[in-house]
Amino acid sequence: MNSKEYQNILNICKENETQLVAVSKTKPNKDILELYQEGQRVFGENRVQELVQKHEQLPKDIKWHFIGHLQKNKVKYIASFVQLIHAVDSLSLLKEINKKAIQNNRTIKCLIQFHIAKEDSKFGLQVEDIDIFFPKTKEFKNVEIIGLMGMATFTNNEKQVNNEFKLLKNLFNKIKENYFKEQVSFKEISMGMSGDYKIAIQNGSTMVRVGSAIFGTR
Ligand SMILES: *Cc1c(COP(=O)(O)O)cnc(C)c1O
């Protein structure tokens, strides 16, 4: 764990009122505990089984975010404790999250993932889906949609990354105006990772998901 780099990133986040999600996937509990000792409480994981184990073994005041692609049949394993699901991109997944939230007598916060990258291997809604998707989310009373999430293209082309984050910010503004105007909690834009979190913050990110810059390469 790179304590100095962690404090550096944390300071940048604090100055910009951005939340730092420490992405601890593949990293052992001892690494997570080291960061916990520095005060970090929000951690992100992208595998259900790994998340469930870490939740069981680590301090109970850790806020666990699920940041990866979530399969419907696995929602049940994390529904009782997950703090935020970052990458919802279908109504059927949202419906399942709602169902498991009801069974656990709670509301589960979610972000809707948009496809903003040039690469076609990534998940997420397209711009054209907006007016079909969002009107239908209102029936899921135990799901609280608090914003959007996106991943930029994996490239050194900063201008391209900048444009992709700008696109997500614009989509956020439009969706807020059209579908969440009355909902104060719809305010999050989860964008930015180790390689591009600074560009993301410049474009209005409220949550960065940073792994390797803090924990070292995986
Ligand atoms: C792994 C991962 C991250 C963190 O990536 P780093 O480059 O290690 O910071 C962020 N978001 C998602 C969705 C991830 O899967």
Side-chain angles (χ1 to χ4, degrees), residues 146-183:
I146 63 166
L148 307 183
M149 177 269 201
M151 286 165 88
T153 306
F154 189 70
T155 170
N156 290 328
N157 186 339
E158 290 194 4
K159 196 162 176 188
Q160 184 182 345
V161 171
N162 194 65
N163 285 340
E164 291 172 358
F165 286 148
K166 219 174 245 16
L167 168 65
L168 190 62
K169 171 71 175 174
N170 288 338
L171 291 177
F172 172 87
N173 289 343
K174 186 177 153 189
I175 293 164
K176 171 89 182 167
E177 175 69 22
N178 290 341
Y179 297 106
F180 296 94
K181 215 171 175 174
E182 319 285 296
Q183 188 188 313

Side-chain angles (χ1 to χ4, degrees), residues 94-136:
L94 209 57
K95 187 178 175 182
E96 179 64 14
I97 295 169
N98 188 58
K99 191 173 150 190
K100 297 303 175 209
I102 293 169
Q103 286 174 7
N104 283 279
N105 199 19
R106 65 186 294 243
T107 299
I108 298 179
K109 292 188 171 82
C110 293
L111 302 174
I112 305 303
Q113 181 176 12
F114 272 85
H115 182 112
I116 55 170
K118 287 276 184 301
E119 297 149 0
D120 50 34
S121 62
K122 289 189 178 148
F123 298 99
L125 295 189
Q126 310 278 348
V127 180
E128 310 85 79
D129 301 326
I130 291 176
D131 295 324
I132 302 160
F133 185 88
F134 285 98
K136 292 184 181 149

Side-chain angles (χ1 to χ4, degrees), residues 23 25 46 67 149 151 193-194 209-212 218:
V23 176
K25 62 188 187 195
N46 73 340
I67 61 168
M149 177 269 201
M151 286 165 88
M193 313 185 0
S194 291
R209 311 174 309 270
V210 180
S212 48
R218 288 179 294 272

